[in-house]
Amino acid sequence: NAGVTQTPKFRVLKTGQSMTLLCAQDMNHEYMYWYRQDPGMGLRLIHYSVGEGTTAKGEVPDGYNVSRLKKQNFLLGLESAAPSQTSVYFCASSWRPAGLTDTQYFGPGTRLTVL
Amino acid sequence: AQSVSQHNHHVILSEAASLELGCNYSYGGTVNLFWYVQYPGQHLQLLLKYFSGDPLVKGIKGFEAEFIKSKFSFNLRKPSVQWSDTAEYFCAVTNNAGNMLTFGGGTRLMVKP
């Protein structure tokens, strides 16, 4: 049981490049979330999913797209990376909605730098 | 929209000192409140939560928090900190719909041995 895993752990991009971050969970959770963490700003929700095939916008969705084709995977895409997207990205998953559960599992994070 | 403020960005304490980290939120309705901790190099873990009932909640590792509805606050406390409490602490809030957690900016705590 690996919990929540994220790929890759580190990445450096040039402005305008694209990439996809992969989040995988093996706990059969319905809910999955992508956050970004910036100094002094805590975690901000980018997008989330309440089940396979569903996605919804969070607090800071601009510049990102997501897909949940399989229940266990939640992909975060950057079509044209910008320096403002330099951040640490965390994925999380849970049985029930984020605010109604005490067991939201976080991944180890992906540190992305956009030059 | 709801928001969360953590006024202490950095706190430095000596071991055995008492800790209180402030958290204030803005939301007019019923809220659920959380404190998360992120130890160096690790991901977020839940410290404690408040959904309803006794406004004084106890969490793991000797932490507790008090929900004061009239002050829109949910401050985190620990009577005697240890070096191992060095971490970043995040307050978070959600409304009853529960789909989205809103986090505060975090408080970085350093405990000197």
Side-chain angles (χ1 to χ4, degrees), chain B residues 67-108:
Chain B
F67 171 50
I68 303 179
K69 189 174 181 180
S70 60
K71 294 185 178 180
F72 297 90
S73 70
F74 190 56
N75 292 356
L76 181 71
R77 300 194 292 249
K78 185 170 184 178
S80 177
V81 295
Q82 300 172 318
W83 175 79
S84 58
D85 293 324
T86 294
E88 191 160 15
Y89 294 81
F90 295 94
C91 182
V93 63
T94 187
N95 58 21
N96 268 352
N99 273 341
M100 292 174 56
L101 274 176
T102 299
F103 284 85
T107 297
R108 210 175 277 273

Side-chain angles (χ1 to χ4, degrees), chain A residues 31 33 35 37-45 48 50 57-59 90 96-109, chain B residues 2 9 32-34 36 38 41-46 49 51 88 90 93-106 108:
Chain A
Y31 296 83
Y33 306 82
Y35 295 92
Q37 183 182 24
D38 302 293
M41 302 187 75
L43 275 76
R44 291 180 292 168
L45 184 65
Y48 64 99
V50 302
K57 293 181 180 180
E59 184 183 352
F90 286 98
R96 296 193 293 166
L100 299 179
T101 178
D102 60 352
T103 313
Q104 185 172 176
Y105 293 85
F106 282 84
Chain B
Q2 56 204 33
H9 299 296
N32 298 325
L33 298 152
F34 305 79
Y36 283 85
Q38 187 177 26
Q42 297 186 27
H43 48 80
L44 270 76
Q45 303 170 43
L46 182 70
K49 66 187 186 298
F51 286 173
E88 191 160 15
F90 295 94
V93 63
T94 187
N95 58 21
N96 268 352
N99 273 341
M100 292 174 56
L101 274 176
T102 299
F103 284 85
R108 210 175 277 273

Side-chain angles (χ1 to χ4, degrees), chain A residues 61-107:
Chain A
D62 293 342
Y64 305 95
N65 56 74
V66 288
S67 64
R68 184 102 181 264
L69 299 179
K70 294 183 179 181
K71 187 176 184 179
Q72 64 268 33
N73 295 337
F74 194 31
L75 279 64
L76 178 71
L78 286 74
E79 290 185 350
S80 179
S84 61
Q85 294 177 304
T86 294
S87 187
V88 181
Y89 292 85
F90 286 98
C91 176
S93 71
S94 59
W95 285 108
R96 296 193 293 166
L100 299 179
T101 178
D102 60 352
T103 313
Q104 185 172 176
Y105 293 85
F106 282 84

Side-chain angles (χ1 to χ4, degrees), chain B residues 12-83:
Chain B
I12 302 174
L13 295 173
S14 298
E15 276 195 314
S18 64
L19 170 73
E20 181 161 3
L21 301 181
C23 172
N24 288 91
Y25 65 92
S26 64
Y27 182 71
T30 303
V31 293
N32 298 325
L33 298 152
F34 305 79
W35 275 98
Y36 283 85
V37 61
Q38 187 177 26
Y39 297 104
Q42 297 186 27
H43 48 80
L44 270 76
Q45 303 170 43
L46 182 70
L47 264 183
L48 49 79
K49 66 187 186 298
Y50 173 79
F51 286 173
S52 63
D54 188 344
L56 183 62
V57 294
K58 296 192 182 300
I60 60 172
K61 304 186 180 184
F63 286 91
E64 64 179 32
E66 185 175 13
F67 171 50
I68 303 179
K69 189 174 181 180
S70 60
K71 294 185 178 180
F72 297 90
S73 70
F74 190 56
N75 292 356
L76 181 71
R77 300 194 292 249
K78 185 170 184 178
S80 177
V81 295
Q82 300 172 318
W83 175 79

